[in-house]
Amino acid sequence: MSHRPHVRIPRRFSSRFLATAIAVSATTTLTAVALPAGPAAAATPNRGANTAAVQDDFNGDGYRDLAVGAPGAANGTVDAAGAVVVLYGSASGATASHRTVITQATTGVPGTPEEWDEFGTAVTSADLDRDGYADLLVGTPSESAGTMDGVGSLTVVWGGPTGLKGGASVSPPTGLDEGCGFGAGLAVGDVTGDGAPDVAVTGNCGATTYTGPFTRTGGAAQRLFVNDLGTNRGVVMGDVDGDGRAERFWLPGPTDGDVSGPVYAEGDDGRYTELPLADGLSGQIGDINGDGYGDLVTGVPYDASLTSGATPAHRGGEIQVLYGSAQGITPEQKPQIIHQDTSGVPGTGEDGDLFGMSLGVGDTNGDKYADVLVGTPGEAVGSAKYAGGATLLRGSASGLTTTGAKAYTQNTDGVPGTSEGGDRFGAATHLVDVTKDGKAEVMVGAPGENSDGLLWTARGSASGPVTSGSTTTSGTAAGVKRRYAEINFGAALPGAQSTI
């Protein structure tokens, strides 16, 4: 029998973080159980369901939009029911002046706000029904089912010409029990190559995949429950072999033999292969070296100060990069490893920095190479512990480079505010072009800011992110409310696997 590794988490991090941060051992021989399909979906023309614009454009105005989770937000007197704030993109950026707040009390959205549901723990988007508008996916792993706490749920809110309106529950696997945490992690991508997005969902009782297209009742063409993954922290989807179809990579989380977390690649035949030289608890895919193949970036944040198991990360945490090719990512590939003590990376690796806890991948300067934004929410800034930071590393023809790397905290010139203990700046990171100028904006969540949380946004430019004129948006300014629990606005951004 395997046993859980001991992972020591600073008291500033919520107890709910522990449920997903500590994972049981995953087996190397994995099986899948086919479940009854949802209602059959009529074939519809592919209207760009997986292009970057349509994947994130909820209202069809040509600008990508941004969903921000606020899982601690109150709904009236219901504490920590949770909310998602959608900031609509425009030529001037995504701001709180043009927003929609989605909760389980929103007309047409299924479910009922309940205390500690934490709706908005995970968010992503895709055009699930192929109508040309992005749809919002919301994971709520703390959702109760009857008398059972923490069973979890997945909700879709439909996009359209006026924005998000109406929704449906996506059918979970049968037999989920208390604490299964279904919906803790989400990823989308076209695995079958038919133009319809497919969805992967993680949780404490296994992983679930849905094959699109989806109907307006939330039914998928097929649902598959991968029950031998056990507790599964995260999943990443993207095309790493250039065949026009996304591959899935599963990140089960810490195990006895690998507290940094194994990485499994799912083949076209549905079989799972461990990448024995790779680790990761968070992940993103983007074309870092511009060769037309997606590259897998994983975050390995737990160092020896936070674990007592084998194979911890470099002091302060690290990231790893596996490069795609015509053969995809093969088991024998040795990852590129970067940490805060790598030459050219600002700062120094210190115990518990959590470098790599969150990742964003996108092209911030328009040079056609994807850059990587690394969240470091455990970083101390002066005497302010867990104030947090983020580091931007540049893509290039030779791969990810530390040349020109930049570090950001709330004490950086041009960044509004001041670094304070427990802000956890960098708990979630995202790179996305919301202004349609070909250069991704930097998005950084700081959910611990003043019991409210905030999102920092800096515009991309030919020289990279511009801090001058950058903005912050707090949870209350974005329209969500606090009762007793911290709002945690900015705890979740699309693709982010962090739950702190």
Side-chain angles (χ1 to χ4, degrees):
M1 176 181 292
S2 63
H3 299 279
R4 297 182 181 183
H6 179 61
V7 181
R8 298 188 295 274
I9 305 298
R11 287 191 297 172
R12 281 293 310 180
F13 297 94
S14 71
S15 61
R16 293 181 181 267
F17 169 72
L18 297 174
T20 51
I22 304 174
V24 298
S25 177
T27 60
T28 56
T29 302
L30 305 178
T31 60
V33 178
L35 300 177
T44 56
N46 175 21
R47 298 179 61 185
N50 285 297
T51 65
V54 175
Q55 180 176 327
D56 292 331
D57 185 3
F58 298 116
N59 59 1
D61 64 356
Y63 291 94
R64 298 177 71 174
D65 307 315
L66 178 70
V68 186
N75 192 284
T77 61
V78 182
D79 202 21
V84 176
V85 179
V86 173
L87 306 175
Y88 290 98
S90 70
S92 57
T95 66
S97 62
H98 187 197
R99 69 175 187 267
T100 295
V101 178
I102 303 292
T103 73
Q104 287 180 298
T106 300
T107 301
V109 174
T112 301
E114 298 171 310
E115 192 168 84
W116 291 106
D117 270 356
E118 296 185 313
F119 179 84
T121 296
V123 294
T124 194
S125 63
D127 182 8
L128 298 180
D129 58 357
R130 294 194 296 179
D131 65 351
Y133 300 95
D135 308 305
L136 173 67
L137 279 162
V138 183
T140 311
S142 297
E143 179 90 52
S144 298
T147 60
M148 296 188 299
D149 292 334
V151 174
S153 69
L154 178 60
T155 303
V156 55
V157 186
W158 304 109
T162 59
L164 293 160
K165 183 179 296 185
S169 294
V170 178
S171 179
T174 57
L176 291 183
D177 205 345
E178 186 165 281
C180 276
F182 173 75
L186 308 172
V188 295
D190 183 7
V191 174
T192 60
D194 63 355
D198 307 307
V199 178
V201 186
T202 68
N204 296 328
C205 299
T208 309
T209 63
Y210 297 85
T211 301
F214 286 72
T215 67
R216 279 287 175 128
T217 62
Q222 183 184 36
R223 185 180 72 204
L224 197 67
F225 180 44
V226 186
N227 60 349
D228 280 351
L229 278 171
T231 297
N232 196 69
R233 182 188 179 94
V235 58
V236 192
M237 295 172 69
D239 182 7
V240 299
D241 59 8
D243 65 354
R245 299 185 295 174
E247 283 71 49
R248 276 189 288 253
F249 296 87
W250 298 97
L251 310 174
T255 69
D256 279 354
D258 186 358
V259 296
S260 297
V263 178
Y264 289 95
E266 181 179 343
D268 293 339
D269 58 1
R271 296 190 178 188
Y272 300 82
T273 301
E274 184 175 4
L275 304 180
L277 304 179
D279 298 290
L281 304 182
S282 60
Q284 293 283 293
I285 290 175
D287 188 2
I288 291 171
N289 58 5
D291 64 356
Y293 302 104
D295 307 310
L296 174 64
V297 186
T298 61
V300 190
Y302 296 156
D303 61 20
S305 72
L306 298 175
T307 67
S308 59
T311 65
H314 181 87
R315 185 183 184 190
E318 67 188 42
I319 66 168
Q320 300 185 3
V321 186
L322 291 163
Y323 292 93
S325 68
Q327 293 74 43
I329 294 173
T330 58
E332 62 271 14
Q333 184 178 159
K334 184 177 180 180
Q336 177 187 8
I337 296 176
I338 295 177
H339 43 71
Q340 286 179 293
D341 292 318
T342 300
S343 178
V345 177
T348 301
E350 300 168 312
D351 288 349
D353 279 348
L354 296 173
F355 183 84
M357 179 60 80
S358 65
L359 296 167
V361 176
D363 181 6
T364 63
N365 59 359
D367 64 358
K368 309 305 180 185
Y369 301 108
D371 308 314
V372 178
L373 183 65
V374 185
T376 315
E379 180 84 36
V381 180
S383 61
K385 296 182 178 179
Y386 315 118
T391 302
L392 183 71
L393 304 171
R394 304 285 191 179
S396 73
S398 59
L400 195 62
T401 176
T402 62
T403 301
K406 294 184 180 297
Y408 305 98
T409 71
Q410 288 184 281
N411 284 356
T412 299
D413 287 345
V415 178
T418 302
S419 294
E420 300 168 306
D423 281 350
R424 306 193 320 269
F425 185 86
T429 56
H430 190 43
L431 295 176
V432 58
D433 179 14
V434 296
T435 59
K436 207 166 61 172
D437 65 354
K439 304 171 186 67
E441 276 66 56
V442 166
M443 311 285 187
V444 178
E449 174 81 15
N450 298 331
S451 300
D452 187 2
L454 64 74
L455 177 74
W456 174 59
T457 302
R459 293 194 63 163
S461 75
S463 59
V466 179
T467 58
S468 177
S470 64
T471 61
T472 55
T473 302
S474 70
T476 51
V480 292
K481 306 294 183 182
R482 180 182 182 227
R483 185 166 169 79
Y484 302 118
E486 295 186 358
I487 292 173
N488 278 330
F489 178 75
L493 295 171
Q497 305 290 347
S498 172
T499 57
I500 60 176

